Amino acid sequence: MGLRESKKQETRQLISDCGTRLFIEQGFEQTTIAEIAAAARVSKKTVTNYFPRKEDLALDHHEAFTEGLAQAVAERAPGEAPLTALGRTFRTALLEHSPVVGFTGHAFARMVADSPTLTARLRELHDLREEALAAALADAAADPASDPAPDTAP
């Protein structure tokens, strides 16, 4: 990663960290983009360039959340059953306390639960994740190499 890309990642993370802190302290609906920009020492335009919607900032791992399980199925080891790959993915996430699959801590969970906007967006993200996983499982079922029946038949 080059210097420019590294700087962009640092700025994105700083904005995310400041936003999350303010959302937890003040509540999602009560926190403004201007307050987040001031805390991160960037312009409001910079905040919206990185996070077009305020809920994208609060739930900034949304892409990894919606695609993660489908990716685990699609990228599983040859001959590995989809459910085995999913189990491994969940165990790893649990051990790592991964925020991507929901191990965010009490304060963050409370902030989401207290916000009708974030609760609705999280429902949408769950729907997108289920759709992506269903498609990946359908693809896996269509692959004869992943069918355990020939190995288990007498």
Side-chain angles (χ1 to χ4, degrees):
M1 180 184 316
L3 182 58
R4 174 179 252 179
E5 195 58 35
S6 177
K7 178 66 174 155
K8 284 182 180 182
Q9 289 293 342
E10 289 174 13
T11 300
R12 185 182 194 286
Q13 189 62 53
L14 175 63
I15 294 167
S16 175
D17 291 347
C18 290
T20 299
R21 180 180 51 78
L22 289 171
F23 292 149
I24 289 171
E25 289 173 1
Q26 301 175 176
F28 177 78
E29 269 77 21
Q30 294 76 22
T31 303
T32 67
I33 296 296
E35 290 171 317
I36 296 166
R41 300 179 52 105
V42 298
S43 70
K44 288 186 341 182
K45 177 87 170 134
T46 299
V47 173
T48 58
N49 282 341
Y50 283 95
F51 302 99
R53 297 175 6 180
K54 196 164 97 169
E55 49 268 41
D56 292 337
L57 174 53
L59 302 170
D60 67 330
H61 297 288
H62 67 277
E63 291 170 352
F65 176 81
T66 58
E67 296 299 322
L69 297 180
Q71 186 175 5
V73 170
E75 296 176 357
R76 69 191 187 283
E80 182 179 34
L83 291 179
T84 302
L86 289 171
R88 180 176 29 77
T89 299
F90 276 113
R91 282 189 299 280
T92 300
L94 180 62
L95 291 172
E96 295 174 353
H97 299 280
S98 171
V100 173
V101 293
F103 299 105
T104 56
H106 184 315
F108 189 88
R110 172 63 33 217
M111 181 261 306
V112 172
D114 288 346
S115 168
T117 303
L118 291 179
T119 301
R121 179 64 177 143
L122 193 55
R123 272 192 222 111
E124 291 171 2
L125 293 174
H126 275 283
D127 289 346
L128 291 171
R129 181 166 82 165
E130 287 179 18
E131 289 170 16
L133 178 57
L137 290 171
D139 287 345
D143 178 12
S146 68
D147 186 358
D151 294 332
T152 58

